[in-house]
Amino acid sequence: MGDGKRHPLIAAFLDMLAAERGAARNTLDAYRRDLKDYFEFLKTSGADPLRADTDGLRAYLAALEARGMTGATAARRLSALKQFHKFLYVDRYRADDPAAALEGPRRHRSAPDILSVDEVTRLLDTAREGIDDESRPLGERMRAARLHAALETLYASGLRVSELVSLPASAARAREPFVTVRGKGAKERLVPLSEQARAALHAYRALLAKHSPGLAASPFLFPSDAAEGHLTRQAFARDLKSAAAAAGLPSRDISPHGLRHAFASHLLQNGADLRVVQELLGHADISTTQIYTHVLDERIRAMVRDLHPLNMANSE
């Protein structure tokens, strides 16, 4: 049947995801790995995806559990299998869909731990330190300014880290307090860009032009010598954890996605509508945004406590 990476059925499925759903490269790579593992399991029992039945799929899921795979990872594998077999059925590679009857464990989406406004402020202040100190090497100042600009932009906009690191250089020249972002499925949306973020971007780009004029000519806002041509997600995450440690925050709990959570939660705490936050985050479905409803619940309880006539009367 051949290597899972080069198998024509996997290739056709990934082509469909890329063309019809605009799936990102990281998503395609994850599906490729998951399906290759599934194909290799089928091969050990003399089966293949065109002949696999529901019992065979259940056996594969049981094998994942026996390997000690976490529930979240197993659920992702199941999602990949269901989408793959639905594709085989819809595109008439086979006449049935053996994965249709499979059900995964119901997972409760718990609310993420949220950085407080004070913690975010401390993180940003720490990242800002030393940027204007001309006694420091220019390269150090430039890298510090890059991190500070990236953090300010991330917290101001709620971008996904993949969207942040691949922003175009034109974002630094925006005259309006927002920037256009191309997100999942190649869908465009407007996200806010605060005055602090814009100022941090200008400071960073000025230092970049002095330190690395060649990189400054790149089409990316955060250019790099990496193969991608821009700052990688991994490099940004490492720099963020270093800044968190310097700020006295538990670095193991700090991540780029954590700042995205903070952006959404702090907006809701200050009265933003959930639908507006959904649009800013680029969530296709409101149910994805609803992990933040605990913030709304807390705000509603506080409003009832502080504004209900009986409560106000009792406090007099």
Side-chain angles (χ1 to χ4, degrees), residues 294 296-307 311:
H294 69 290
L296 295 177
D297 293 341
E298 291 169 5
R299 199 175 78 214
I300 290 170
R301 283 197 295 270
M303 289 174 62
V304 172
R305 183 191 67 232
D306 298 338
L307 301 178
N311 291 338

Side-chain angles (χ1 to χ4, degrees), residues 74-138:
R76 193 196 75 209
R77 290 283 178 93
L78 174 59
S79 175
L81 292 184
K82 289 177 76 70
Q83 292 185 65
F84 175 66
H85 276 285
K86 182 178 180 180
F87 160 76
L88 295 182
Y89 172 67
V90 170
D91 278 38
R92 300 183 179 181
Y93 285 99
R94 57 181 295 169
D96 63 339
D97 180 358
L102 296 176
E103 291 187 5
R106 293 185 176 273
R107 290 190 295 153
H108 173 66
R109 298 194 69 182
S110 59
D113 292 331
I114 305 298
L115 290 169
S116 68
V117 174
D118 286 344
E119 287 173 328
V120 172
T121 300
R122 195 190 327 165
L123 182 63
L124 293 174
D125 287 345
T126 300
R128 188 185 299 114
E129 291 175 357
I131 292 175
D132 298 324
D133 183 357
E134 295 186 0
S135 66
R136 294 181 64 190
L138 183 58

Side-chain angles (χ1 to χ4, degrees), residues 191-203:
V191 297
L193 201 60
S194 66
E195 288 187 14
Q196 297 96 315
R198 292 162 71 190
L201 287 171
H202 291 159

Side-chain angles (χ1 to χ4, degrees), residues 28-60:
L28 297 176
D29 288 343
Y31 276 119
R32 182 181 291 110
R33 288 192 298 270
D34 290 348
L35 291 174
K36 181 180 178 182
D37 185 71
Y38 169 55
F39 276 40
E40 289 174 349
F41 174 83
L42 291 177
K43 190 175 181 180
T44 62
S45 59
D48 63 61
L50 297 180
R51 293 182 295 146
D53 57 18
T54 303
D55 287 341
L57 270 68
R58 288 197 176 102
Y60 174 64

Side-chain angles (χ1 to χ4, degrees), residues 138-139 142-143 204-218 223 225:
L138 183 58
M142 185 275 292
R143 285 187 290 273
Y204 157 62
R205 295 293 299 188
L207 288 173
L208 177 66
K210 289 182 181 179
H211 181 264
S212 305
L215 282 180
S218 164
D225 291 328

